[in-house]
Amino acid sequence: MLPDPRRLYEGYAGESQGMDKVWEQMRAALRTRAPVLVRGESGTGKELVAKTLSKASGKGPWVVVNCCAISESLIESELFGHARGAFSGADRDREGLFETADGGCLFLDEIGDIPPSAQARLLRVLQEGEVRRVGESRVRHVDVRVIAATNRDLEVAMESGSFRADLFYRLSVHPIVLPPLRYRREDIPGLVRHLVKKHTLSGPVRPVSPEAMDLLQSHSWPGNVREMENVLLRLMAYGGSGPIRAEEVKPGLQPSLAALSEGEIDYLSLDYPGLRKAQDEMERRFVVEHLQRHQWSVAKAALNLGIARTALHNRLKVLGLDTKTMRGARVKEG
């Protein structure tokens, strides 16, 4: 009988339909050793989901790789290992992280940032279960479950040629999509209570007043669970005793791009209308410059900016920018 990933999860499991779908996807992933691709915005808990899958998969090493933290010149050596003398400074044989993770799980975080030079070799490991160290002809067999994660729009990356389509399809045998916190607001009260309890090291756990909970539940949380945890950590460190009040919470909640895109209240424009207008004008010029640089392609501009295409489309509407109209105007000027 397969273990229930929900029971092994170290965070707050949630009760929303969005999280029910996540548990369903995780249970499906546990039926095979095929690769898993966890997708979601920053701060949604992709590594926590990957770690839960590793626990549920059984014994074996759990190895984490942050693909954007390793330089392009070193990533192949890190993943696949190298032979002595393979390059300057390689004074001994070294096994790669695939060999280290043999029998367990390898978590490739930020897979969207892996350089093209390493993508073909990664594809071969996934297909054949074989690794070859840099500078060596010998092939080594490994049994590794690969779990990858990204907040990038890989479909856009494939369109631009920066991410291989065959690698994408190989990685996403079991896709798991984590919903942003703003799309599962019904989970926020339980998550808040979980985090407050988790970070209370001594003394009684502070309850959250209804007014403070309303404020927390109405915020758009562009940084998702990670942002919420940071806000609550500050409250636990600098707050007083008794229930957590709305006045304590509000200073930590900043207006967000997501909130503006969704038409939610912009507290900055209410308090400082002149500043909001100036910021909008600066952002408008910045966005137009990137669109021009990419021949008015929203997909390519979003990839360059490191945001989702839909988020950029939403922001264009808020800023009153129409790419077709602007493109036509530039052609006439030319």
Side-chain angles (χ1 to χ4, degrees):
M1 184 176 177
L2 291 172
D4 184 357
R6 192 168 189 148
R7 299 194 175 195
L8 297 173
Y9 190 66
E10 293 180 358
Y12 172 67
E15 303 296 335
S16 63
Q17 289 186 349
M19 288 306 293
D20 284 343
K21 184 68 175 177
V22 170
W23 304 124
E24 180 184 327
Q25 293 168 338
M26 290 175 72
R27 282 190 287 269
L30 289 173
R31 296 190 185 108
T32 73
R33 291 270 294 171
V36 177
L37 180 60
V38 187
R39 307 181 71 175
E41 295 179 5
S42 293
T44 48
K46 295 185 290 295
E47 183 170 351
L48 196 51
V49 164
K51 190 179 292 185
T52 302
L53 286 174
S54 176
K55 286 182 182 178
S57 296
K59 297 179 180 180
W62 161 250
V63 180
V64 178
V65 185
N66 189 329
C67 296
C68 68
I70 305 173
S71 68
E72 184 172 354
S73 61
L74 292 177
I75 193 161
E76 291 191 49
S77 171
E78 288 292 317
L79 291 177
F80 313 117
H82 64 252
R84 179 181 179 183
F87 51 83
S88 178
D91 55 356
R92 59 184 176 85
D93 291 345
R94 180 183 176 187
E95 72 174 19
L97 294 175
F98 268 97
E99 291 179 68
T100 303
D102 192 19
C105 290
L106 179 66
F107 178 50
L108 299 175
D109 198 12
E110 307 293 352
I111 190 65
D113 295 300
I114 193 168
S117 59
Q119 290 181 27
R121 296 192 65 171
L122 176 57
L123 180 64
R124 179 161 184 82
V125 179
L126 294 174
Q127 290 176 333
E128 308 296 337
E130 298 175 347
V131 294
R132 184 170 56 82
R133 296 179 181 178
V134 177
E136 189 176 83
S137 59
R138 176 186 169 188
V139 171
R140 290 174 165 83
H141 294 272
V142 291
D143 175 21
V144 176
R145 175 150 211 189
V146 172
I147 305 174
T150 184
N151 62 359
R152 299 277 299 275
D153 190 333
L154 293 184
E155 287 80 4
V156 173
M158 287 189 290
E159 288 177 14
S160 68
S162 63
F163 199 87
R164 294 176 62 118
D166 49 3
L167 178 58
F168 170 78
Y169 293 119
R170 187 63 187 172
L171 284 169
S172 57
V173 175
H174 291 295
I176 296 175
V177 181
L178 294 180
L181 195 52
R182 62 185 175 275
Y183 291 157
R184 53 185 188 101
R185 295 183 189 275
E186 61 268 44
D187 285 337
I188 288 178
L191 180 59
V192 169
R193 287 189 287 268
H194 166 79
L195 292 173
V196 169
K197 184 177 180 180
K198 173 184 173 182
H199 293 295
T200 299
L201 301 181
S202 62
V205 176
R206 295 182 68 191
V208 181
S209 71
E211 296 77 16
M213 189 64 80
D214 286 344
L215 196 56
L216 291 166
Q217 205 163 2
S218 64
H219 186 57
S220 62
W221 299 110
N224 293 291
V225 179
R226 184 182 298 128
E227 179 191 359
M228 175 183 281
E229 188 161 16
N230 288 339
V231 168
L232 294 173
L233 271 169
R234 286 195 294 271
L235 284 173
M236 305 313 293
Y238 300 109
S241 58
I244 295 174
R245 297 169 291 112
E247 305 87 79
E248 295 177 81
V249 171
K250 190 172 181 179
L253 306 182
Q254 299 300 322
S256 67
L257 179 65
L260 301 177
S261 300
E262 293 175 5
E264 296 175 4
I265 295 174
D266 178 6
Y267 291 102
L268 186 60
S269 66
L270 294 177
D271 295 338
Y272 307 100
L275 178 59
R276 178 74 266 171
K277 184 177 179 180
Q279 287 182 329
D280 280 349
E281 187 55 38
M282 290 176 63
E283 185 180 354
R284 193 175 285 109
R285 290 198 298 268
F286 177 78
V287 170
V288 168
E289 178 184 341
H290 276 269
L291 286 167
Q292 287 178 315
R293 189 179 303 165
H294 296 284
Q295 291 75 51
W296 304 99
S297 167
V298 175
K300 291 181 180 178
L303 179 64
N304 181 258
L305 290 167
I307 63 175
R309 178 173 43 185
T310 52
L312 183 54
H313 272 299
N314 289 337
R315 196 60 190 146
L316 290 172
K317 290 178 184 177
V318 172
L319 294 171
L321 297 174
D322 186 305
T323 54
K324 291 183 180 179
T325 302
M326 290 187 294
R327 187 190 299 117
R330 297 291 175 179
V331 169
K332 288 180 181 179
E333 288 176 8

